[in-house]
């Protein structure tokens, strides 16, 4: 960046070390997401993991539909777009065609758990050696905050204006727990992006979700509880509070399956 | 051994053709009357270093094709009518994203669940795009088991040349009929290595595969900025215009013909039988059989217009007849006779409509 | 003292960094970037270079420099 060259403050001074900077796997384009949206944190974590594993040059991103459609505008990796919900099926084709690549999807809750539930579930069940990143913010973000399968009971959205009810809409779907039941899944966990501690845990889990793919153990899955201040009609700080106070009690954090752990066998030839 | 004539089904010939043309990935979901294709490839592809995946649905299958095609690997799906309907979203994305792939439709009767017997009811769906937005598939129409084998080579070559989906439009007769065919690549067939070369400029593989200065690539169909989609679609329209030169047809006995029968696929071969009989009886009649349905061989058809009348025979409620009329631009009279789906007809059943077309004023 | 630098054109003024800073030394600056967002700034106080602000920044708009050897 030109401004960077002019601005000496952006370089380490005498006695200083640069301890935090953007991963080179992310390009310099400013993100288009709303203020306080957690997509940016998730992008950063994925980029850092790809960089640390030194696999960006053989990574293939399968993008989804929603706010995250434009994920590929920010990652310096080869990418392909997929129709709404179909990312795990597209990733299956990529994986079979390019066995040496590191393949990952990046999807929202509407994309992955509603319209793409079948494709996601079956790619997981086949033990496709891919990593799927699910951003769960309990709404369809891009289309304007409609109810998604992960919307909390009582949550008001533009299509549940009096709040989601069990009688009419069913309850929030627990994708990490569901996938953990499948033989092909090597790793399934849920993390949150609402606090420094949780973000750091998420990074470690994300690394594991890629590790199991690279080790050939099977399907790696991580669900990230994320904020959507715009469609929740909350400021970013209040949105973060909602994650810890309202979402985590419904969507418990943790590792639901790890093939590397005792008894977590999902090993596939 | 490959050079010998072997008795096989059209579906089996499709599977062998795919394998010999260099197909490395098959994705599909069971549906009659095309099940021999996935069944055979499930056994053959892994031995050839390829992949067979039985998908959770046709939606899954076509999206797997998107992934493999985007990687520049020769890949295919096969299905029949209802299953092909489920694939239309993916076909539109492939066309919009410049992603190649081969789709085989062994058409069955419709609408709805219809039946499992022959039909040409998916003509419109195949040649008019089928999915949303302005898009086109290249469409090849085999009528024999040998053509089922041969056309697979052309299908992969066209898919990679244009980075576009290619459809083989057969039907229950073409897929299930058993007759001798040879497993010899047709003249001009591209080797699998040549196919791979065709994808060098656009396939995704991880940018490291393109050397030290490899830049990330993106295959996509979304263009939101004002004017961006217009620009993109102009490129697509130019591609469809370039495809016009791929139109092919088979013309038989038209030199002296007063009446030209236009028919494709299984009806095309049945029509040929009856035409030969009628010619033996002194009738001046010929056959025009499109081998590509998109692009439609309209220029070749138009050349035949002066002094002739045309009869379109097809097993549907009147679909290709529209393209025949468009091609002839009102320069000749066009008659039409439809065979209902689900009927296995003999040559004798086409005789009456042909004679009627001779007599009609 | 360690320090952070805001990549000002990336900042969207969401204030998640302000909330995350254990030393409470970040605050709105009263200045706006080209996107129209109010940018954050470091006030007086001791930055430890813990990078909590950067960890929470959804726009990768913070660079952290830590004082001292590795």
């Amino acid at each position: 960046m030109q401004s960077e060259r002019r601005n000496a403050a952006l370089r380490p001074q005498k006695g200083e070390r640069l301890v935090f900077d953007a991963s080179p796997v992310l390009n310099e384009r400013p993100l288009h997401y709303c203020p306080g949206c957690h997509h940016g944190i998730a992008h950063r974590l994925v980029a850092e993991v790809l960089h640390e594993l030194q696999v960006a040059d053989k990574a293939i991103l399968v993008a989804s539909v929603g706010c995250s459609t434009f994920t590929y505008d920010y990652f310096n990796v080869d990418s392909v777009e997929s129709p709404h919900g179909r990312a795990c099926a597209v990733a299956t084709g990529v994986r079979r065609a390019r066995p040496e690549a590191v393949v990952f999807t990046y999807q929202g809750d509407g994309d992955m758990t509603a319209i793409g539930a079948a494709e996601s579930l079956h790619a997981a069940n086949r033990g496709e050696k891919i990593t799927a990143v699910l951003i769960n913010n309990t709404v369809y973000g891009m289309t304007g905050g409609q109810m998604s399968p992960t919307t909390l009971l009582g949550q008001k959205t533009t299509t549940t204006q009096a709040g989601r009810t069990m009688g009419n809409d069913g309850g929030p779907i627990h994708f990490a727990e569901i996938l953990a039941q499948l033989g092909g899944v090597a790793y399934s966990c849920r993390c949150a992006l609402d606090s420094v501690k949780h973000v750091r845990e998420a990074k470690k889990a994300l690394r594991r979700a890629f590790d199991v793919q690279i080790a050939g153990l099977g399907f790696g899955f991580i669900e990230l509880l994320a904020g959507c201040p715009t469609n929740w009609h909350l400021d970013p700080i209040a949105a973060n509070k909602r994650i810890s106070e309202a979402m985590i009690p419904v969507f418990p954090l943790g590792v639901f399956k790890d093939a590397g752990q005792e008894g977590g066998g999902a090993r596939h030839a | 051994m490959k050079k010998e004539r072997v008795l096989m089904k059209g579906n089996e010939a499709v599977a062998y053709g795919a394998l010999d043309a260099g197909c490395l990935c098959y994705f599909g979901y069971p549906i009659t009357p095309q099940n021999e294709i996935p069944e055979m490839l499930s056994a053959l592809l892994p031995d050839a270093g390829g992949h067979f995946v039985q998908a959770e649905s046709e939606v899954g299958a076509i999206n797997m094709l998107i992934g493999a095609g985007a990687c520049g690997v020769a890949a295919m799906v096969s299905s029949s009518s209802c299953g092909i309907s489920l694939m239309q979203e993916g076909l539109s994305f492939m066309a919009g994203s410049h992603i190649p792939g081969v789709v085989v439709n062994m058409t069955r009767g419709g609408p709805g669940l219809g039946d499992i017997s022959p039909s040409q009811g998916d003509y419109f769906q195949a040649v008019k795009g089928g999915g949303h937005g302005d898009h086109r598939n290249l469409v090849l129409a085999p009528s024999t088991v040998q053509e089922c084998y041969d056309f697979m080579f052309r299908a992969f070559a066209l898919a990679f040349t244009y980075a576009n989906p290619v459809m083989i439009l057969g039907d229950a007769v073409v897929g299930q009929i058993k007759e001798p065919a040879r497993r010899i690549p047709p003249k001009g067939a591209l080797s699998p290595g040549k196919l791979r070369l065709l994808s060098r400029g656009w396939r995704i593989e991880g940018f490291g595969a393109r050397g030290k200065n490899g830049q990330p690539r993106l295959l996509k169909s979304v263009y939101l900025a004002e004017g961006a989609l217009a620009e993109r679609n102009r490129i697509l329209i130019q591609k469809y215009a370039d495809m016009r030169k791929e139109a092919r047809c088979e013309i038989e006995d038209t030199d002296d013909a007063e009446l030209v029968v236009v028919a494709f696929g299984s009806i095309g071969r049945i029509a040929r039988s009856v035409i030969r009989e009628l010619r033996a009886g002194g009738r001046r009649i010929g056959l025009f059989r499109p081998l590509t349905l998109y692009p439609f061989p309209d220029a070749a058809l138009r050349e035949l217009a002066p002094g002739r009348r045309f009869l379109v025979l097809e097993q549907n409620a009147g679909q290709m007849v529209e393209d025949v009329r468009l091609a002839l631009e009102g320069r000749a009279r066009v008659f039409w006779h439809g065979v209902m789906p689900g009927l296995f007809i003999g040559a004798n059943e086409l005789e009456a409509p042909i004679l009627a077309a001779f007599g009609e004023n | 003292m360690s320090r952070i630098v805001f990549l000002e054109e990336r900042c969207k003024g969401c204030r998640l960094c302000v909330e995350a800073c254990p030393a409470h030394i970040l605050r709105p600056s009263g200045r706006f970037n080209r996107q129209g967002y109010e940018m954050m700034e470091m006030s007086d106080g001791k930055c430890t270079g813990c990078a909590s602000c950067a960890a929470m920044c959804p726009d990768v708009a913070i660079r952290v420099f830590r004082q001292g050897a590795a």
Side-chain angles (χ1 to χ4, degrees), chain B residues 112-246:
Chain B
L113 203 49
D115 69 8
I116 57 168
S117 341
S119 161
Q120 297 182 325
D122 296 354
Y123 178 94
F124 279 153
Q125 189 194 47
V127 307
K128 307 296 182 190
H132 60 281
D134 253 338
H135 79 95
R136 289 286 189 270
N137 313 310
L138 285 141
V139 184
L140 312 181
S143 70
T144 65
V145 171
Q146 188 66 55
E147 282 182 350
C148 283
Y149 178 83
D150 293 350
F151 283 15
M152 290 308 290
F153 289 83
R154 181 137 202 261
F156 281 107
L158 288 172
F160 274 70
T161 302
Y162 294 98
N164 201 74
V166 175
M167 188 175 285
I168 300 275
L169 190 68
D171 61 45
V173 163
V174 172
Q176 293 295 335
I177 202 167
K178 207 162 195 178
E179 58 188 2
R182 284 191 173 91
R183 272 180 78 181
I184 304 173
K187 267 191 203 120
L190 294 183
S191 66
K194 285 245 172 67
L195 274 186
R196 266 197 297 280
L197 278 181
L198 286 173
S199 70
R200 222 169 25 169
W202 47 258
R203 68 184 175 216
I204 55 167
E205 54 205 334
F207 63 83
R210 297 187 291 276
K212 247 193 346 225
N213 299 319
Q215 292 301 308
R217 279 180 181 161
L218 166 63
L219 294 175
K220 65 163 188 170
S221 67
V222 62
Y223 292 87
L224 291 184
E226 191 178 345
L229 186 64
E231 194 183 321
R232 175 69 169 183
N233 282 17
R234 278 188 203 105
I235 295 170
L236 290 180
I237 288 165
Q238 183 57 50
K239 179 162 93 170
Y240 303 140
D242 293 343
M243 286 177 188
R244 306 286 334 163
K245 65 174 179 287
E246 307 296 347

Side-chain angles (χ1 to χ4, degrees), chain A residues 198-220:
Chain A
H198 284 160
V199 167
R200 288 182 175 148
E201 285 168 2
K203 165 96 177 274
K204 285 192 193 115
L206 195 57
R207 167 90 187 228
R208 182 78 190 130
F210 275 93
D211 279 341
V212 294
Q213 172 192 171
I214 292 165
L217 297 176
F219 190 86

Side-chain angles (χ1 to χ4, degrees), chain A residues 98-115:
Chain A
R98 297 237 164 261
E100 71 289 355
V102 172
V103 184
F104 68 105
T105 72
Y106 185 100
Q107 307 171 254
D109 45 275
D111 184 274
M112 188 169 200
T113 74
I115 191 169

Side-chain angles (χ1 to χ4, degrees), chain B residues 267-321:
Chain B
I267 297 294
R269 66 185 287 166
I270 300 167
R272 183 194 290 126
S273 304
V274 66
I275 286 166
R276 284 176 185 165
E277 278 172 34
L278 290 171
R279 281 191 75 84
R283 293 285 183 173
R284 295 202 287 175
I285 175 173
L287 175 67
F288 183 94
R289 183 167 70 91
L291 305 179
T292 57
L293 300 178
Y294 186 88
F296 194 78
D298 44 11
L301 187 65
R302 204 154 45 239
E303 268 181 40
L304 298 175
R308 298 187 179 92
R309 49 174 64 191
F310 293 79
L311 169 64
V312 178
L313 297 174
E314 51 185 331
Q315 194 163 14
N316 57 41
Q319 299 190 23
M320 183 174 68
V321 63

Side-chain angles (χ1 to χ4, degrees), chain A residues 56-61 65 69-70 72-73 75-84 86 88-101 115 118-120 122-123 126 128 142, chain B residues 25 27 51-57 59-61 63-73 89-90 93 97 99 203-210 215-222 224:
Chain A
D57 61 343
K58 57 177 182 174
I60 296 179
L61 158 65
V65 172
T69 295
F70 303 102
Y72 46 61
D73 281 342
F75 281 89
N76 289 326
V77 300
D78 274 10
S79 312
V80 60
E81 167 197 271
S82 65
H84 200 187
R86 319 299 179 212
C88 284
V90 173
T92 297
V94 171
R95 156 58 60 231
R96 301 305 179 112
R98 297 237 164 261
E100 71 289 355
I115 191 169
E119 288 75 19
S120 308
H122 286 281
R126 284 191 302 270
E128 296 295 339
M142 186 182 245
Chain B
C25 292
F27 311 105
H51 289 266
F52 171 89
V53 180
Q54 182 165 323
E56 60 277 10
S57 68
V59 177
N63 284 285
M64 293 172 194
L65 183 64
I66 291 179
C71 293
V73 164
E89 174 197 42
F93 272 73
S97 310
I99 291 175
R203 68 184 175 216
I204 55 167
E205 54 205 334
F207 63 83
R210 297 187 291 276
Q215 292 301 308
R217 279 180 181 161
L218 166 63
L219 294 175
K220 65 163 188 170
S221 67
V222 62
L224 291 184

